Coordinates of all heavy atoms in Angstrom, one line a residue:
M105 N 148.7 71.4 107.8 CA 148.2 72.7 107.3 C 148.1 72.7 105.8 O 149.0 73.3 105.1 CB 149.1 73.8 107.9 CG 148.9 74.0 109.3 SD 149.9 75.3 110.2 CE 150.3 76.5 108.8
E106 N 147.2 72.0 105.3 CA 147.0 71.8 104.0 C 146.5 73.2 103.2 O 145.8 74.0 103.8 CB 145.9 70.8 103.8 CG 145.9 70.1 102.5 CD 144.9 69.0 102.4 OE1 145.0 68.0 103.3 OE2 143.9 69.1 101.7
N107 N 147.0 73.4 102.1 CA 146.6 74.6 101.2 C 146.9 75.9 101.9 O 146.3 76.9 101.6 CB 145.1 74.5 100.9 CG 144.7 73.2 100.2 OD1 145.4 72.8 99.2 ND2 143.6 72.7 100.5
V108 N 148.0 75.9 102.6 CA 148.5 77.2 103.1 C 149.5 77.8 102.2 O 150.5 77.2 101.8 CB 149.2 77.0 104.5 CG1 149.8 78.3 105.0 CG2 148.3 76.4 105.5
P109 N 149.2 79.1 101.7 CA 150.1 79.7 100.8 C 151.5 79.9 101.4 O 151.7 80.2 102.6 CB 149.5 81.1 100.5 CG 148.1 81.0 101.0 CD 148.1 79.9 102.0
L110 N 152.6 79.8 100.6 CA 153.9 80.0 101.1 C 154.4 81.4 101.3 O 155.3 81.7 102.0 CB 154.9 79.2 100.3 CG 154.7 77.7 100.3 CD1 155.7 77.0 99.4 CD2 154.7 77.1 101.7
D111 N 153.7 82.3 100.5 CA 154.2 83.6 100.4 C 152.9 84.5 100.2 O 153.0 85.3 99.1 CB 155.3 83.8 99.4 CG 156.0 85.1 99.6 OD1 156.0 85.8 100.7 OD2 156.6 85.6 98.6
P112 N 152.0 84.7 101.1 CA 150.8 85.3 100.8 C 150.9 86.9 100.9 O 151.9 87.4 101.7 CB 149.8 84.9 101.8 CG 150.7 84.5 103.0 CD 151.9 84.0 102.3
D113 N 150.2 87.7 100.1 CA 150.1 89.1 100.4 C 149.5 89.4 101.7 O 148.7 88.5 102.2 CB 149.4 89.8 99.2 CG 150.2 89.8 97.9 OD1 151.4 89.8 98.0 OD2 149.6 89.8 96.9
C114 N 149.9 90.5 102.3 CA 149.3 90.8 103.6 C 148.5 92.0 103.7 O 148.7 93.0 102.9 CB 150.5 90.9 104.6 SG 151.4 89.4 104.8
A115 N 147.4 92.0 104.5 CA 146.7 93.3 104.7 C 147.6 94.3 105.5 O 148.7 94.0 106.0 CB 145.5 92.9 105.6
D116 N 147.0 95.5 105.7 CA 147.9 96.6 106.3 C 148.2 96.2 107.8 O 149.2 96.6 108.3 CB 147.1 97.9 106.3 CG 147.3 98.6 104.9 OD1 148.0 98.0 104.1 OD2 146.6 99.6 104.7
L117 N 147.2 95.5 108.4 CA 147.4 95.1 109.8 C 147.0 93.7 109.9 O 146.0 93.2 109.4 CB 146.6 96.0 110.8 CG 146.9 97.5 110.8 CD1 145.9 98.3 111.6 CD2 148.4 97.7 111.3
A118 N 147.6 93.0 110.8 CA 147.2 91.6 111.2 C 146.0 91.6 112.1 O 145.8 92.6 112.9 CB 148.4 90.9 111.9
P119 N 145.2 90.5 112.2 CA 144.1 90.5 113.1 C 144.6 90.7 114.5 O 145.7 90.3 114.9 CB 143.6 89.1 112.9 CG 144.0 88.7 111.6 CD 145.3 89.3 111.4
A120 N 143.9 91.3 115.4 CA 144.4 91.6 116.8 C 143.4 90.9 117.9 O 143.7 91.0 119.0 CB 144.4 93.0 117.1
D121 N 142.4 90.2 117.4 CA 141.5 89.6 118.4 C 142.0 88.3 118.9 O 143.0 87.7 118.4 CB 140.1 89.4 117.8 CG 140.1 88.6 116.6 OD1 141.2 88.5 115.9 OD2 139.0 88.2 116.1
D122 N 141.5 87.8 120.0 CA 142.0 86.5 120.6 C 141.3 85.4 120.1 O 140.7 84.5 120.7 CB 141.8 86.6 122.1 CG 142.8 87.5 122.9 OD1 143.8 87.8 122.2 OD2 142.5 88.0 123.9
A123 N 141.3 85.2 118.7 CA 140.6 84.1 118.0 C 141.4 83.7 116.8 O 142.1 84.6 116.3 CB 139.2 84.5 117.7
L124 N 141.4 82.5 116.5 CA 142.0 82.1 115.3 C 141.0 82.4 114.1 O 139.8 82.3 114.3 CB 142.3 80.5 115.3 CG 143.3 80.1 116.4 CD1 143.2 78.6 116.4 CD2 144.6 80.7 116.1
T125 N 141.6 82.8 113.0 CA 140.8 83.2 111.8 C 141.2 82.6 110.6 O 142.4 82.1 110.5 CB 140.9 84.8 111.7 OG1 142.2 85.1 111.2 CG2 140.5 85.5 112.9
P126 N 140.4 82.5 109.6 CA 140.8 81.9 108.3 C 142.0 82.7 107.8 O 142.9 82.2 107.1 CB 139.6 82.1 107.4 CG 138.5 82.0 108.3 CD 138.9 82.7 109.6
Y127 N 142.0 84.1 108.0 CA 143.2 84.9 107.5 C 144.4 84.4 108.2 O 145.4 84.3 107.6 CB 142.9 86.4 107.9 CG 144.0 87.3 107.4 CD1 144.0 87.8 106.1 CD2 145.1 87.7 108.2 CE1 145.0 88.7 105.7 CE2 146.1 88.5 107.8 CZ 146.1 88.9 106.6 OH 147.0 89.8 106.0
G128 N 144.4 84.1 109.5 CA 145.5 83.6 110.3 C 146.0 82.3 109.6 O 147.2 82.0 109.5
H129 N 145.0 81.4 109.3 CA 145.4 80.1 108.6 C 146.2 80.4 107.3 O 147.2 79.8 107.1 CB 144.2 79.3 108.4 CG 144.5 78.0 107.7 ND1 144.1 77.8 106.4 CD2 145.0 76.8 108.1 CE1 144.5 76.5 106.0 NE2 145.0 75.9 107.1
E130 N 145.7 81.3 106.5 CA 146.3 81.6 105.3 C 147.7 82.3 105.5 O 148.6 82.1 104.7 CB 145.4 82.6 104.5 CG 146.0 83.0 103.2 CD 145.1 84.0 102.4 OE1 143.9 83.8 102.4 OE2 145.6 85.0 101.9
H131 N 147.9 82.9 106.6 CA 149.2 83.7 106.9 C 150.1 83.0 107.9 O 150.9 83.5 108.4 CB 148.9 85.1 107.2 CG 148.4 85.8 106.1 ND1 147.1 85.8 105.7 CD2 149.1 86.7 105.3 CE1 147.0 86.6 104.6 NE2 148.1 87.1 104.3
A132 N 149.8 81.7 108.2 CA 150.6 80.9 109.1 C 152.1 81.0 108.8 O 152.9 81.2 109.8 CB 150.1 79.5 109.2
I133 N 152.5 80.9 107.6 CA 153.9 81.0 107.3 C 154.5 82.3 107.5 O 155.6 82.5 108.1 CB 154.1 80.6 105.8 CG1 153.6 79.2 105.4 CG2 155.6 80.8 105.3 CD1 154.3 78.1 106.2
T134 N 153.7 83.4 107.3 CA 154.1 84.7 107.6 C 154.4 84.9 109.1 O 155.5 85.3 109.5 CB 153.0 85.7 107.3 OG1 152.7 85.6 105.9 CG2 153.4 87.1 107.6
Y135 N 153.6 84.3 110.0 CA 153.8 84.4 111.4 C 155.0 83.6 111.9 O 155.6 83.9 112.9 CB 152.6 83.9 112.2 CG 151.3 84.7 111.9 CD1 150.1 84.1 111.6 CD2 151.4 86.1 111.9 CE1 149.0 84.8 111.3 CE2 150.2 86.8 111.5 CZ 149.1 86.2 111.3 OH 148.0 86.9 110.9
L136 N 155.4 82.6 111.1 CA 156.6 81.8 111.4 C 157.8 82.6 111.0 O 158.9 82.4 111.6 CB 156.5 80.4 110.8 CG 155.4 79.5 111.3 CD1 155.4 78.2 110.6 CD2 155.7 79.2 112.8
R137 N 157.7 83.1 109.8 CA 158.9 83.8 109.2 C 159.4 85.1 110.0 O 160.6 85.3 110.0 CB 158.6 84.2 107.7 CG 158.5 83.0 106.8 CD 158.1 83.5 105.5 NE 159.2 84.1 104.7 CZ 159.1 84.7 103.6 NH1 157.8 84.8 103.1 NH2 160.1 85.2 103.1
L138 N 158.4 85.8 110.5 CA 158.8 87.1 111.2 C 159.7 86.9 112.4 O 160.8 87.6 112.5 CB 157.6 87.9 111.5 CG 156.8 88.5 110.3 CD1 155.5 89.1 110.8 CD2 157.7 89.6 109.6
P139 N 159.4 86.1 113.4 CA 160.3 85.9 114.4 C 161.7 85.3 114.1 O 162.7 85.7 114.7 CB 159.5 84.9 115.4 CG 158.1 85.0 115.0 CD 158.1 85.3 113.5
D140 N 161.6 84.4 113.0 CA 163.0 83.9 112.6 C 163.8 85.0 112.0 O 165.0 85.0 112.3 CB 162.7 82.9 111.4 CG 162.3 81.5 111.9 OD1 162.5 81.3 113.1 OD2 162.0 80.7 111.1
A141 N 163.2 85.9 111.2 CA 164.0 87.1 110.7 C 164.5 88.0 111.9 O 165.6 88.4 111.8 CB 163.1 87.9 109.8
A142 N 163.7 88.2 112.9 CA 164.1 89.0 114.0 C 165.2 88.4 114.8 O 166.2 89.0 115.2 CB 162.9 89.2 114.9
T143 N 165.2 87.0 115.0 CA 166.2 86.3 115.5 C 167.5 86.5 114.8 O 168.6 86.5 115.4 CB 165.8 84.8 115.7 OG1 164.6 84.8 116.6 CG2 166.9 84.0 116.4
D144 N 167.4 86.5 113.5 CA 168.6 86.6 112.7 C 169.0 88.1 112.5 O 170.0 88.4 111.7 CB 168.3 86.0 111.3 CG 168.2 84.6 111.2 OD1 168.7 83.9 112.2 OD2 167.7 84.1 110.3
C145 N 168.4 89.0 113.3 CA 168.8 90.4 113.3 C 168.5 91.1 111.9 O 169.3 92.0 111.6 CB 170.2 90.6 113.8 SG 170.4 90.0 115.5
A146 N 167.6 90.6 111.2 CA 167.3 91.2 109.9 C 166.6 92.6 110.1 O 165.9 92.9 111.1 CB 166.3 90.3 109.1
D147 N 166.9 93.5 109.2 CA 166.3 94.8 109.3 C 164.9 94.8 109.1 O 164.4 94.1 108.1 CB 166.9 95.7 108.2 CG 166.4 97.1 108.3 OD1 165.3 97.4 107.7 OD2 167.1 98.0 108.9
W148 N 164.0 95.4 110.0 CA 162.6 95.2 110.0 C 162.0 95.7 108.6 O 161.0 95.2 108.2 CB 162.0 95.8 111.1 CG 162.1 97.3 111.2 CD1 163.1 98.0 111.8 CD2 161.2 98.3 110.7 NE1 162.9 99.4 111.7 CE2 161.7 99.6 111.0 CE3 160.0 98.2 109.9 CZ2 161.2 100.7 110.5 CZ3 159.4 99.4 109.5 CH2 160.0 100.6 109.8
R149 N 162.7 96.7 108.0 CA 162.2 97.2 106.8 C 162.4 96.3 105.7 O 161.4 96.0 104.8 CB 162.9 98.6 106.5 CG 162.4 99.8 107.4 CD 163.3 101.0 107.1 NE 164.7 100.8 107.7 CZ 165.0 101.1 109.0 NH1 164.0 101.6 109.8 NH2 166.2 101.0 109.4
E150 N 163.4 95.6 105.6 CA 163.7 94.6 104.6 C 162.7 93.4 104.8 O 162.2 92.9 103.9 CB 165.1 94.1 104.7 CG 165.5 93.1 103.6 CD 166.9 92.6 103.8 OE1 167.7 93.3 104.5 OE2 167.2 91.6 103.1
V151 N 162.4 93.0 106.1 CA 161.5 92.0 106.4 C 160.1 92.4 106.0 O 159.4 91.5 105.4 CB 161.6 91.6 107.9 CG1 160.5 90.6 108.3 CG2 162.9 91.1 108.3
A152 N 159.8 93.6 106.2 CA 158.4 94.1 105.8 C 158.2 93.9 104.3 O 157.2 93.6 103.8 CB 158.2 95.4 106.3
E153 N 159.3 94.3 103.6 CA 159.2 94.3 102.2 C 159.1 92.8 101.6 O 158.3 92.5 100.8 CB 160.4 95.0 101.5 CG 160.4 95.1 100.0 CD 161.4 95.9 99.4 OE1 162.4 96.4 100.1 OE2 161.3 96.2 98.3
I154 N 160.0 92.0 102.2 CA 160.1 90.5 101.7 C 159.0 89.7 102.2 O 158.3 89.0 101.4 CB 161.4 89.9 102.1 CG1 162.5 90.6 101.3 CG2 161.5 88.4 101.8 CD1 163.9 90.3 101.9
V155 N 158.6 89.8 103.4 CA 157.6 88.9 104.0 C 156.2 89.4 103.9 O 155.2 88.7 103.5 CB 157.9 88.6 105.5 CG1 156.8 87.7 106.1 CG2 159.3 87.9 105.6
L156 N 156.1 90.7 104.2 CA 154.7 91.4 104.1 C 154.3 92.0 102.7 O 153.2 92.3 102.6 CB 154.6 92.4 105.2 CG 154.9 92.0 106.6 CD1 154.7 93.2 107.6 CD2 154.0 90.9 107.0
H157 N 155.3 92.1 101.9 CA 155.2 92.6 100.6 C 154.7 94.1 100.6 O 153.9 94.6 99.8 CB 154.1 91.8 99.7 CG 154.4 90.5 99.7 ND1 153.5 89.5 99.2 CD2 155.6 89.7 99.8 CE1 154.1 88.2 99.2 NE2 155.4 88.4 99.6
I158 N 155.3 94.8 101.6 CA 155.1 96.3 101.7 C 156.3 97.0 101.4 O 157.3 96.8 102.2 CB 154.5 96.6 103.1 CG1 153.1 95.9 103.3 CG2 154.3 98.2 103.2 CD1 152.6 96.0 104.7
D159 N 156.4 97.7 100.4 CA 157.7 98.4 100.0 C 157.8 99.7 100.9 O 157.0 100.6 100.8 CB 157.6 98.8 98.5 CG 158.9 99.6 98.0 OD1 159.7 99.8 98.8 OD2 158.8 99.9 96.8
P160 N 158.8 99.7 101.7 CA 159.0 100.9 102.6 C 159.1 102.2 101.8 O 158.7 103.2 102.3 CB 160.4 100.6 103.3 CG 160.5 99.2 103.2 CD 159.9 98.7 101.9
A161 N 159.6 102.2 100.6 CA 159.8 103.5 99.8 C 158.4 103.9 99.4 O 158.3 105.1 99.2 CB 160.7 103.3 98.6
R162 N 157.5 103.0 99.1 CA 156.2 103.4 98.6 C 155.1 103.6 99.7 O 154.1 104.3 99.4 CB 155.7 102.4 97.7 CG 156.6 102.3 96.4 CD 156.0 101.4 95.3 NE 154.6 101.9 94.9 CZ 153.7 101.0 94.5 NH1 153.9 99.7 94.5 NH2 152.6 101.4 94.1
G163 N 155.3 103.1 100.8 CA 154.3 103.3 101.8 C 154.9 103.4 103.3 O 154.6 102.6 104.1
P164 N 155.7 104.4 103.5 CA 156.4 104.5 104.8 C 155.4 104.5 106.0 O 155.8 104.0 107.1 CB 157.3 105.7 104.7 CG 156.8 106.5 103.5 CD 156.1 105.5 102.6
Q165 N 154.3 105.1 105.8 CA 153.3 105.2 106.9 C 152.6 103.9 107.2 O 152.1 103.7 108.3 CB 152.2 106.3 106.7 CG 151.3 106.0 105.6 CD 151.9 106.2 104.1 OE1 153.0 106.6 103.9 NE2 151.1 106.0 103.1
R166 N 152.7 102.9 106.3 CA 152.1 101.6 106.5 C 153.1 100.7 107.1 O 152.8 99.6 107.7 CB 151.8 101.0 105.1 CG 150.5 101.5 104.4 CD 150.3 100.9 103.1 NE 150.0 99.5 103.3 CZ 150.3 98.7 102.2 NH1 150.7 99.1 101.1 NH2 150.1 97.3 102.4
V167 N 154.4 100.9 106.8 CA 155.4 99.7 107.0 C 155.5 99.4 108.5 O 155.4 98.3 108.9 CB 156.8 100.2 106.5 CG1 157.8 99.2 106.8 CG2 156.7 100.4 104.9
R168 N 155.8 100.4 109.4 CA 156.1 100.1 110.8 C 154.8 99.5 111.5 O 155.0 98.5 112.2 CB 156.6 101.3 111.5 CG 157.2 101.0 112.9 CD 158.3 100.0 112.9 NE 158.8 99.6 114.1 CZ 160.0 99.4 114.4 NH1 160.9 99.4 113.5 NH2 160.3 99.1 115.7
P169 N 153.6 100.2 111.3 CA 152.5 99.6 112.0 C 152.1 98.1 111.5 O 151.8 97.3 112.3 CB 151.4 100.6 111.6 CG 152.1 101.8 111.3 CD 153.3 101.5 110.6
A170 N 152.4 97.9 110.2 CA 152.2 96.6 109.7 C 153.1 95.5 110.2 O 152.6 94.5 110.8 CB 152.2 96.5 108.1
Y171 N 154.4 95.9 110.2 CA 155.4 95.1 110.8 C 155.0 94.7 112.2 O 155.0 93.6 112.7 CB 156.8 95.7 110.6 CG 157.8 94.8 111.3 CD1 158.4 93.8 110.6 CD2 158.4 95.2 112.6 CE1 159.4 93.0 111.2 CE2 159.3 94.4 113.1 CZ 159.9 93.3 112.4 OH 160.8 92.6 113.1
E172 N 154.8 95.8 113.0 CA 154.5 95.6 114.4 C 153.3 94.7 114.7 O 153.3 93.9 115.5 CB 154.4 97.0 115.2 CG 155.6 97.7 115.3 CD 156.7 97.1 116.0 OE1 156.5 96.3 117.0 OE2 157.9 97.4 115.8
S173 N 152.3 95.0 113.9 CA 151.0 94.1 114.1 C 151.2 92.7 113.8 O 150.6 91.8 114.5 CB 149.9 94.7 113.3 OG 149.9 94.4 112.0
Y174 N 152.0 92.4 112.8 CA 152.2 91.0 112.4 C 153.2 90.3 113.4 O 153.0 89.2 113.7 CB 152.7 90.9 111.0 CG 151.6 91.0 109.9 CD1 151.3 92.1 109.5 CD2 151.0 89.8 109.5 CE1 150.1 92.2 108.6 CE2 149.9 89.8 108.7 CZ 149.4 91.1 108.1 OH 148.5 91.1 107.3
M175 N 154.2 91.1 114.0 CA 155.0 90.6 115.0 C 154.2 90.3 116.3 O 154.4 89.2 116.9 CB 156.1 91.5 115.3 CG 157.3 91.5 114.3 SD 158.1 89.8 114.2 CE 159.0 89.8 115.8
A176 N 153.3 91.2 116.6 CA 152.4 91.0 117.7 C 151.5 89.7 117.6 O 151.3 89.0 118.5 CB 151.5 92.2 118.0
R177 N 151.1 89.5 116.4 CA 150.3 88.4 116.1 C 151.1 87.1 116.2 O 150.7 86.1 116.7 CB 149.6 88.5 114.7 CG 148.5 87.4 114.4 CD 147.4 87.5 115.5 NE 146.3 86.8 115.2 CZ 145.2 86.7 115.9 NH1 145.0 87.4 117.0 NH2 144.2 85.9 115.5
A178 N 152.3 87.2 115.7 CA 153.2 86.0 115.8 C 153.5 85.6 117.3 O 153.5 84.5 117.7 CB 154.5 86.3 115.0
R179 N 153.7 86.7 118.1 CA 153.9 86.5 119.5 C 152.7 85.9 120.2 O 152.8 84.9 121.0 CB 154.3 87.8 120.2 CG 155.8 88.2 120.1 CD 156.2 89.4 120.9 NE 155.5 90.6 120.6 CZ 155.8 91.4 119.7 NH1 156.9 91.2 118.9 NH2 155.0 92.5 119.5
W180 N 151.5 86.4 119.9 CA 150.3 85.9 120.4 C 150.2 84.4 120.0 O 149.7 83.7 120.9 CB 149.1 86.7 119.9 CG 147.7 86.1 120.4 CD1 147.2 86.3 121.6 CD2 146.9 85.3 119.5 NE1 146.0 85.6 121.6 CE2 145.8 85.0 120.5 CE3 146.9 84.8 118.3 CZ2 144.8 84.1 120.0 CZ3 145.9 83.9 117.9 CH2 144.8 83.6 118.9
L181 N 150.4 84.1 118.8 CA 150.3 82.6 118.5 C 151.3 81.9 119.2 O 150.8 80.7 119.6 CB 150.5 82.5 116.9 CG 149.3 82.9 116.1 CD1 149.8 82.9 114.6 CD2 148.2 81.8 116.3
S182 N 152.5 82.3 119.4 CA 153.4 81.4 120.2 C 153.2 81.3 121.6 O 153.6 80.4 122.3 CB 154.9 81.9 119.8 OG 155.1 83.1 120.4
E183 N 152.6 82.4 122.1 CA 152.4 82.5 123.6 C 151.0 81.9 124.1 O 151.0 81.3 125.1 CB 152.5 83.9 124.2 CG 153.9 84.4 124.0 CD 154.0 85.9 124.1 OE1 152.9 86.5 124.4 OE2 155.1 86.5 124.0
S184 N 150.0 82.1 123.3 CA 148.7 81.5 123.8 C 147.8 81.1 122.6 O 147.0 80.1 122.8 CB 147.9 82.6 124.5 OG 147.7 83.8 123.8
G185 N 147.9 81.6 121.4 CA 147.1 81.2 120.4 C 147.2 79.8 119.9 O 146.4 79.2 119.4
Y186 N 148.4 79.2 120.1 CA 148.7 77.9 119.7 C 147.8 76.9 120.5 O 147.5 75.9 120.0 CB 150.2 77.5 119.9 CG 150.5 77.3 121.4 CD1 150.4 76.0 122.0 CD2 150.9 78.3 122.2 CE1 150.8 75.8 123.3 CE2 151.3 78.1 123.6 CZ 151.2 76.9 124.1 OH 151.5 76.7 125.4
K187 N 147.4 77.3 121.7 CA 146.5 76.4 122.5 C 145.1 76.3 121.9 O 144.5 75.2 121.8 CB 146.3 77.1 124.0 CG 147.6 77.1 124.7 CD 147.3 77.8 126.1 CE 148.7 78.1 126.7 NZ 148.6 79.0 127.9
L188 N 144.6 77.4 121.3 CA 143.4 77.3 120.5 C 143.6 76.4 119.3 O 142.7 75.7 118.9 CB 142.9 78.6 120.1 CG 142.5 79.7 121.2 CD1 142.3 81.1 120.6 CD2 141.2 79.1 121.9
L189 N 144.7 76.6 118.6 CA 145.0 75.8 117.5 C 145.1 74.4 117.7 O 144.5 73.5 117.0 CB 146.4 76.3 116.9 CG 146.9 75.5 115.6 CD1 145.9 75.7 114.4 CD2 148.3 76.0 115.2
L190 N 145.7 74.0 118.8 CA 145.8 72.5 119.3 C 144.4 72.0 119.6 O 144.0 70.8 119.3 CB 146.7 72.4 120.5 CG 148.2 72.6 120.2 CD1 149.0 72.6 121.4 CD2 148.7 71.6 119.1
R191 N 143.6 72.9 120.3 CA 142.2 72.4 120.7 C 141.2 72.3 119.5 O 140.4 71.4 119.4 CB 141.8 73.4 121.7 CG 140.8 72.8 122.7 CD 140.5 73.8 123.9 NE 141.7 74.2 124.6 CZ 141.9 75.4 124.9 NH1 141.0 76.3 124.7 NH2 143.0 75.7 125.6
H192 N 141.3 73.3 118.6 CA 140.2 73.5 117.6 C 140.7 73.5 116.3 O 139.8 73.3 115.3 CB 139.4 74.8 117.8 CG 138.9 74.9 119.3 ND1 137.8 74.2 119.7 CD2 139.3 75.8 120.1 CE1 137.6 74.6 120.9 NE2 138.5 75.6 121.3
G193 N 142.0 73.6 115.9 CA 142.5 73.7 114.5 C 142.1 75.1 114.0 O 141.5 75.9 114.6
W194 N 142.5 75.3 112.8 CA 142.3 76.6 112.1 C 140.9 76.6 111.6 O 140.4 75.6 111.1 CB 143.3 76.8 111.0 CG 144.6 77.1 111.4 CD1 145.7 76.3 111.3 CD2 145.1 78.4 111.8 NE1 146.8 77.0 111.8 CE2 146.5 78.3 112.0 CE3 144.5 79.7 112.1 CZ2 147.3 79.4 112.5 CZ3 145.3 80.7 112.5 CH2 146.6 80.6 112.8
P195 N 140.2 77.7 111.7 CA 138.8 77.8 111.0 C 139.0 77.7 109.6 O 139.9 78.2 108.9 CB 138.4 79.2 111.4 CG 139.2 79.6 112.6 CD 140.5 78.9 112.5
G196 N 138.1 76.9 109.0 CA 138.1 76.8 107.6 C 139.0 75.7 107.0 O 139.0 75.4 105.9
E197 N 139.8 75.1 108.0 CA 140.7 74.0 107.6 C 139.9 72.7 107.4 O 139.0 72.4 108.1 CB 141.7 73.8 108.7 CG 142.8 72.9 108.3 CD 143.9 72.8 109.4 OE1 143.5 72.6 110.6 OE2 145.0 72.8 109.0
N198 N 140.2 72.0 106.3 CA 139.5 70.8 106.0 C 139.9 69.7 106.9 O 141.0 69.4 107.3 CB 139.7 70.4 104.6 CG 139.2 71.4 103.6 OD1 138.2 72.1 104.0 ND2 139.7 71.4 102.4

């Protein structure tokens, strides 16, 4: 996974379609960090601030939906999206 940012800024919501996207490639590390944080019982607000770069104090209406959408995307990748990744690789990857 060449040229993948280690700590990218995140959109308000993660992609929700059943396809791999260039955005997903850019945020692969994000999708790996979220389940790890949940396993460690980290507070979701702190995780949203650190991993998604969304300050809960400045955007409370954004925080929970963003966190949930990125967690859902991480679950999708671990449950079925990885099959597409193995078969086709990430779009836009060299």
Side-chain angles (χ1 to χ4, degrees):
M105 290 181 21
E106 202 171 298
N107 300 320
V108 175
L110 296 179
D111 194 22
D113 287 329
C114 295
D116 285 352
L117 298 173
D121 53 346
D122 288 337
L124 297 172
T125 66
Y127 183 88
H129 179 253
E130 182 179 315
H131 289 81
I133 300 297
T134 302
Y135 301 133
L136 294 172
R137 291 175 72 192
L138 289 171
D140 280 350
T143 298
D144 291 343
C145 299
D147 182 276
W148 65 268
R149 289 172 284 274
E150 184 178 347
V151 174
E153 184 170 11
I154 293 168
V155 178
L156 303 180
H157 305 160
I158 300 173
D159 181 357
R162 292 186 60 210
Q165 67 282 2
R166 286 180 59 205
V167 178
R168 190 62 184 215
Y171 176 81
E172 293 296 335
S173 75
Y174 280 89
M175 282 298 291
R177 191 61 170 181
R179 281 190 298 277
W180 175 80
L181 280 169
S182 70
E183 294 168 0
S184 60
Y186 76 92
K187 295 173 191 170
L188 294 171
L189 179 60
L190 293 173
R191 209 173 304 137
H192 306 289
W194 286 103
E197 188 175 43
N198 296 338

